[in-house]
Amino acid sequence: MIQIYNTLTRKKEKFVPLEEGKIKMYLCGPTVYNYIHIGNARSAVAFDTVRRYFEYRGYDVDYVSNFTDVDDKIISAAKELQIEAPEVAEKFIDAFFEDTGALAVQKADCHPRVMETIPEIIDLIETLIEKGYAYEVDGDVYYHTKNFADYGKLSGITLDELQEGASERLGEVDSEKKEAPIDFALWKKAKEDEISWNSPWGQGRPGWHIECSAMVKKYLGDTIDIHAGGQDLQFPHHENEIAQSEAATGKTFANYWMHNGFVTMGDEKMSKSLGNFKLVKDLRKLYDPQVIRFFLSTSHYRRPVTYSEAALEDAKANVNHIRTAINNGYHRLETAEDTLPSDEETVQNLRKNIERFEQAMDDDIQTQNGITVIYEMIRELNRMIDAEHVSKYVLEFTLNTLIELLAIFGLENLEDTEELLDEDIEHLIQQREDARADKDFEQADQIRDQLKEQGIILEDTNQGVRWKRAENN
């Protein structure tokens, strides 16, 4: 039985999906105006791990994670870079996939964008106006917060507590147009030279919160199983999503709310606004992406993670230890004995460890306890490797089990390969071209050197980059 800590009820609950064997899951994705830092990556990694575990347990997960590609920060970045807002979004969506792909984050089944959801957003706002939950003033539309009786049920913040400094707490700009300071924008009247769309209220663009409500409804329906995101989104973003969606449909928006903890640097949350952050693309130059993934995925998703070089070095040592054991196991498999009777005691111990792993992960995805069980299995693997005689069946069973469990943490392709495959080479060449386009010549040179060490020679021509294997390879 899987239990999930539900932020809405503030307790662990037995997970019961809307439809047996299936899960509708939505993760609030990034606002794409810059490269992601390791704090941004925490959410993507944490819920990729959750998704992988549900799939390991046999669930069919319909996983949706959005991109906010219309936002004040994107508009500011467009002005600074002297390009259009959609170009900014496209550039950093590509960068997001590059970084998260390196961290073995599987793509969602659907990655909707705000710009592709404008008709649905307008329809949802019209519904809220018709039902008395929203009002239009001179081209702006606001949500009537007082009209939603359950406002604050996710965050525990009451309407009375919101009255003082409401706009600041709601992430809103104060406006005399509002009927109450605690109301928030659903549609913003267009400003000069800003991207905008036509609507029943004139040219404008959506407010932040309504975007996710519309995308959830469009791609997953009125009610979903799990809504996930960073702890900082609990209020006001997720609170406002509930208010909008439930007012519009009259149905429960999400049955379970899951929020991941921050990545901290020193005593503070890692954030671009504070200037205390480490970009994933920079860390990837210093560490194997599997090390970064392991660092993020082996801490319980609800707990804060403290970034430090020492912590990454520990993760590096653990990944290397696991990788060495797996590779030694495959080498030992070549001399394992087919005719040796199966060691039933070892097999039973392995099955007990699988049960212990599942018990740990069933308890609100306790990854730190799950990885402890895997370490014990690695020790048992090393004992088999060193034994004078070992059953091929038992060794193969152990290796296959470890490969399956480690994949939940994003540790894949741990076995050594003799040479890079063609698609791997093309991927690295594209990384090099991206680095050169960003004028990151240090990374471009590192990739060239990495390929050279693998016997791959690059030739820059007027028609692009060509590669060939060295003759002695």
Side-chain angles (χ1 to χ4, degrees):
M1 178 186 71
I2 297 177
Q3 286 193 312
I4 295 295
Y5 181 87
N6 191 349
T7 309
L8 184 66
T9 59
R10 295 164 186 78
K11 64 182 180 182
K12 289 181 189 176
E13 296 179 355
K14 178 183 177 182
F15 178 72
V16 181
L18 291 162
E19 184 178 349
E20 187 175 353
K22 296 186 177 182
I23 297 174
K24 294 180 179 181
M25 184 172 179
Y26 183 87
L27 171 66
C28 278
T31 300
V32 281
Y33 70 97
N34 206 332
Y35 297 101
I36 62 168
H37 58 66
I38 195 170
N40 305 137
R42 174 97 200 268
S43 186
V45 167
F47 294 110
D48 179 71
T49 306
V50 171
R51 173 196 188 181
R52 284 170 178 262
Y53 185 66
F54 275 122
E55 290 175 340
Y56 164 82
R57 292 296 261 158
Y59 287 95
D60 178 10
V61 183
D62 191 356
Y63 191 72
V64 176
S65 183
N66 75 299
F67 289 115
T68 298
D69 59 351
V70 180
D71 183 87
D72 290 338
K73 292 175 181 176
I74 294 172
I75 292 168
S76 296
K79 290 175 181 176
E80 184 180 333
L81 296 170
Q82 297 184 328
I83 58 178
E84 297 299 316
E87 292 178 75
V88 173
E90 200 64 42
K91 172 184 173 68
F92 291 113
I93 286 172
D94 288 345
F96 174 85
F97 282 134
E98 183 72 34
D99 283 336
T100 56
L103 300 184
V105 173
Q106 297 174 324
K107 284 189 176 183
D109 296 301
C110 179
H111 283 282
R113 307 184 188 189
V114 176
M115 290 190 194
E116 299 168 348
T117 321
I118 299 297
E120 290 81 7
I121 291 170
I122 290 172
D123 287 347
L124 187 54
I125 295 172
E126 287 185 307
T127 298
L128 290 169
I129 292 173
E130 289 168 9
K131 292 192 171 186
Y133 287 99
Y135 58 93
E136 185 263 341
V137 185
D138 188 27
D140 289 324
V141 182
Y142 294 98
Y143 186 87
H144 235 322
T145 308
K146 284 184 178 178
N147 287 7
F148 186 69
D150 285 340
Y151 193 86
K153 65 181 179 179
L154 180 68
S155 61
I157 298 173
T158 66
L159 288 175
D160 289 341
E161 290 173 317
L162 279 176
Q163 299 295 330
E164 191 173 343
S167 292
E168 183 179 344
R169 296 191 73 175
L170 287 166
E172 289 286 307
V173 176
D174 243 332
S175 172
E176 294 179 359
K177 295 180 182 180
K178 294 182 184 181
E179 293 184 11
I182 57 176
D183 295 346
F184 56 88
L186 300 176
W187 188 263
K188 299 179 179 182
K189 183 178 180 179
K191 296 177 183 176
E192 190 176 351
D193 297 328
E194 281 189 355
I195 188 169
S196 64
W197 290 265
N198 191 32
S199 78
W201 320 286
Q203 288 293 120
R205 59 187 175 89
W208 175 33
H209 313 299
I210 195 69
E211 298 166 354
C212 281
S213 285
M215 286 186 275
V216 170
K217 182 176 174 62
K218 179 178 180 179
Y219 293 98
L220 291 173
D222 292 343
T223 303
I224 64 174
D225 294 291
I226 298 172
H227 196 308
Q231 180 184 323
D232 53 332
L233 299 180
Q234 185 177 337
F235 183 87
H237 185 52
H238 290 164
E239 193 72 71
N240 291 351
E241 279 189 70
I242 291 173
Q244 296 160 162
S245 298
E246 296 190 357
T249 67
K251 301 174 183 177
T252 298
F253 181 43
N255 285 338
Y256 301 87
W257 287 84
M258 300 177 73
H259 292 93
N260 66 273
F262 298 133
V263 175
T264 60
M265 203 165 179
D267 296 326
E268 294 181 311
K269 170 195 168 187
M270 189 178 286
S271 72
K272 293 187 179 79
S273 60
L274 294 173
N276 62 338
F277 60 89
K278 293 286 185 180
L279 295 178
V280 172
K281 77 181 187 76
D282 293 335
L283 283 176
R284 285 168 49 207
K285 300 172 190 175
L286 304 173
Y287 292 95
D288 181 336
Q290 285 194 324
V291 170
I292 303 169
R293 169 70 189 238
F294 191 81
F295 165 68
L296 291 173
S297 64
T298 52
S299 295
H300 187 235
Y301 74 94
R302 283 195 288 118
R303 296 187 180 278
V305 174
T306 301
Y307 168 84
S308 69
E309 289 184 12
L312 279 172
E313 288 297 329
D314 283 345
K316 180 179 177 180
N318 285 323
V319 169
N320 287 339
H321 177 65
I322 291 168
R323 185 182 285 130
T324 299
I326 295 293
N327 279 287
N328 287 344
Y330 278 108
H331 288 307
R332 183 68 176 89
L333 200 57
E334 296 171 7
T335 56
E337 299 169 60
D338 282 317
T339 57
L340 196 68
S342 175
D343 182 348
E344 285 305 317
E345 183 180 352
T346 302
V347 170
Q348 288 305 316
N349 285 340
L350 181 59
R351 289 187 173 131
K352 286 178 184 176
N353 277 330
I354 294 170
E355 289 176 10
R356 289 176 58 221
F357 174 83
E358 291 174 354
Q359 287 169 1
M361 297 291 282
D362 283 353
D363 181 16
D364 194 32
I365 321 294
Q366 297 279 350
T367 50
Q368 77 286 4
N369 294 337
I371 200 67
T372 298
V373 177
I374 286 178
Y375 289 150
E376 292 180 19
M377 294 167 70
I378 290 288
R379 283 195 289 273
E380 182 60 33
L381 172 63
N382 284 329
R383 281 194 289 270
M384 290 185 211
I385 292 166
D386 293 337
E388 184 177 354
H389 300 284
V390 63
S391 161
K392 185 174 184 178
Y393 165 77
V394 174
L395 183 54
E396 200 164 36
F397 181 31
T398 302
L399 285 166
N400 290 341
T401 299
L402 280 166
I403 291 296
E404 184 178 23
L405 300 186
L406 287 165
I408 296 168
F409 296 88
L411 290 186
E412 300 173 309
N413 303 316
L414 292 166
E415 309 95 305
D416 287 335
T417 54
E418 292 183 3
E419 60 179 27
L420 290 172
L421 300 174
D422 287 3
E423 56 264 34
D424 296 326
I425 296 167
E426 296 292 351
H427 180 70
L428 284 167
I429 289 172
Q430 185 58 55
Q431 276 189 282
R432 177 173 176 264
E433 291 304 292
D434 292 343
R436 292 175 71 186
D438 291 336
K439 300 190 186 308
D440 190 348
F441 300 114
E442 182 181 351
Q443 185 183 17
D445 289 343
Q446 285 177 349
I447 293 172
R448 175 188 278 275
D449 292 343
Q450 178 185 348
L451 288 167
K452 187 176 180 180
E453 288 174 7
Q454 295 284 343
I456 306 301
I457 308 301
L458 298 187
E459 296 177 353
D460 294 310
T461 71
N462 292 333
Q463 289 76 38
V465 181
R466 295 177 180 172
W467 64 271
K468 64 180 181 179
R469 296 189 189 276
E471 290 182 6
N472 62 345
N473 231 43

